[in-house]
Amino acid sequence: MNKVVTLNQFIIERQHEIPEATGGFSRLLHHLGIAAKKVNREVNKAGLVDILGRTGAENVQGEEQQKLDLYANETFLDELRASGECCGVASEENEDVVIFEEGLQRNGRYIVCMDPLDGSSNIDVNVSVGTIFAVYKRLSPLGGPAEKRDFLQPGSALAAAGYVIYGSSTMLVYSSGRGVDGFTLDPSIGEFCLSHPAVRFPADGRIYSINEGNYEKFPPGVKRYIKFCQESDPRSGRPYTSRYIGSLVADIHRNMLKGGIYIYPETESHPHGKLRLQYECNPMAYLVEQAGGQATNGLGRILDITPQDIHQRTPFYAGSERMMDKTTEFLRLFGTR
Ligand code: AHM
Ligand code: MG
């Protein structure tokens, strides 16, 4: 019989492989896993809101969606606080960073940047949403409060990153710098179980993911690449397949398993694109690279960008190596503006 490895077993085993490990990081991950399970429970109930009693007068959908965003934010904040290993959090839901001021947390060695519920407009229609998290070692001294500089580290300094996808099944996928591993929630025992060890991004792919409704506004290099994807060339497997969920986690997750490219480019009206560097692009770029793919802003590596602001945006190109090479070639030839 196959031995099932739970997330907690896995992180404890991994911890033993690192001589200097103190267990702090394992504890942090353990608490992230608990938050993921709580959010999963609420996301699964989202469709019941209409029959569990609300008067039809107000915008029920909008209300509930916002509430789930907030629930996810509070749940992850609470678990990170409870871990005692985290001294502060930057979240898409909070204008300012949240600094944990208690004695215990002041000694936390990590800070976390997160998007607690990404793609939340998809909840209303029963389509996958996700949580994204990025873990850094703090730069400020232990014992004091976290400082701004702790949250403005480049992605290349990440200690770990991961996402949770609340989909047809719920998965937690993470990396702490030695490849990417995926765990599927077994609802019968309430545990994340190792289901996708050592995920590898296929070197080539046939899926392109982009919001083509914005085509007119795309940079010339992107327009030309989309046309390239649509051309017929049986030798290279073109035309490629277009797949776009509008949930970053779900789109990247699919492409990482099947091979593909995800693009959210800059446009004239949005010169920095839409996605956020610190809690969307950096953690996803880290995972993509750890799995053997590439992630850029069209010009250079996402992980090399020095952030100026916790909510800053960046164009985002991520995917299979050969598709990324081709896209970069088109961007060079025809321009990103
Ligand atoms: P959100 O943080 O407001 O949920 O927005 C982020 C989401 C991503 O998950 C997704 O990839 C993108 O926005 C989709 O944007 P668009 O609807 O413009 O294609
Ligand atoms: Mg988001």
Side-chain angles (χ1 to χ4, degrees):
M1 199 180 82
N2 282 343
K3 183 175 160 273
V4 173
V5 178
T6 66
L7 175 64
N8 286 336
Q9 282 171 315
F10 185 86
I11 51 188
I12 287 165
E13 277 163 30
R14 273 285 160 93
Q15 184 190 314
H16 285 311
E17 294 169 18
I18 310 169
E20 72 275 16
T22 61
F25 177 67
S26 302
R27 237 180 331 271
L28 187 81
L29 256 180
H30 171 68
H31 282 268
L32 285 167
I34 296 176
K37 286 188 233 178
K38 291 183 177 171
V39 171
N40 178 61
R41 186 188 59 204
E42 296 306 308
V43 167
N44 281 336
K45 282 197 297 202
L48 291 170
V49 67
D50 284 338
I51 56 171
L52 289 184
R54 264 173 206 246
T55 52
E58 84 259 82
N59 178 354
V60 174
Q61 306 286 341
E63 272 271 291
E64 176 61 15
Q65 174 200 330
Q66 207 209 356
K67 284 182 76 181
L68 264 178
D69 281 2
L70 295 182
Y71 177 83
N73 193 42
E74 272 158 33
T75 304
F76 274 91
L77 280 173
D78 285 350
E79 287 298 332
L80 287 167
R81 192 183 286 113
S83 76
E85 302 295 338
C86 178
C87 60
V89 179
S91 165
E92 171 157 10
E93 295 293 330
N94 297 98
E95 188 60 34
D96 290 322
V97 296
V98 178
I99 311 274
F100 296 148
E101 294 288 354
E102 306 279 310
L104 179 66
Q105 284 89 13
R106 278 170 170 247
N107 283 316
R109 291 192 300 147
Y110 297 98
I111 68 104
V112 171
C113 300
M114 67 172 184
D115 185 348
L117 206 60
D118 184 62
S120 50
S121 62
N122 277 326
I123 289 177
D124 295 345
V125 288
N126 213 347
V127 172
S128 301
V129 289
T131 295
I132 310 173
F133 58 89
V135 182
Y136 292 92
K137 279 204 175 124
R138 70 188 296 177
L139 300 172
S140 56
L142 278 181
E147 297 170 14
K148 197 100 187 177
R149 62 183 164 133
D150 295 322
F151 299 94
L152 294 178
Q153 301 185 55
S156 54
L158 277 163
Y163 60 77
V164 185
I165 176 168
Y166 310 96
S168 48
S169 55
T170 292
M171 284 187 70
L172 188 150
V173 177
Y174 91 97
S175 174
S176 54
R178 285 181 303 153
V180 177
D181 296 285
F183 302 79
T184 302
L185 183 63
D186 179 345
S188 67
I189 56 170
E191 292 280 1
F192 284 105
C193 300
L194 182 62
S195 54
H196 295 64
V199 178
R200 296 305 294 167
F201 218 121
D204 208 352
R206 294 194 55 252
I207 297 173
Y208 70 102
S209 313
I210 185 166
N211 186 342
E212 266 180 270
N214 296 328
Y215 184 85
E216 280 302 313
K217 296 189 261 169
F218 288 156
V222 173
K223 285 184 175 170
R224 298 293 275 259
Y225 181 70
I226 292 175
K227 285 295 163 211
F228 168 84
C229 293
Q230 295 170 342
E231 278 163 18
S232 199
D233 177 36
R235 216 169 39 91
S236 58
R238 285 178 292 145
Y240 293 157
T241 294
S242 169
R243 289 283 183 274
Y244 189 75
I245 296 170
S247 235
L248 179 66
V249 168
D251 280 309
I252 296 276
H253 180 73
R254 180 203 51 240
N255 290 358
M256 188 151 74
L257 296 182
K258 293 194 164 181
I261 188 166
Y262 176 94
I263 303 177
Y264 209 110
E266 57 278 60
T267 60
E268 244 170 64
S269 48
H270 295 90
H272 305 292
K274 174 186 183 188
L275 301 178
R276 313 292 184 146
L277 176 63
Q278 284 307 74
Y279 42 78
E280 292 177 334
C281 299
N282 261 337
M284 296 313 268
Y286 180 82
L287 290 160
V288 167
E289 284 199 7
Q290 281 292 323
Q294 291 180 12
T296 73
N297 65 356
L299 300 169
R301 223 172 144 228
I302 287 288
L303 299 183
D304 285 339
I305 299 172
T306 305
Q308 310 292 329
D309 183 277
I310 52 166
H311 295 296
Q312 94 186 47
R313 299 173 196 269
T314 176
F316 192 51
Y317 300 74
S320 293
E321 202 180 336
R322 283 205 274 284
M323 296 181 91
M324 284 293 292
D325 286 344
K326 198 73 191 170
T327 308
T328 309
E329 189 186 316
F330 275 75
L331 292 174
R332 278 210 197 99
L333 278 172
F334 304 108
T336 52
R337 279 285 153 82

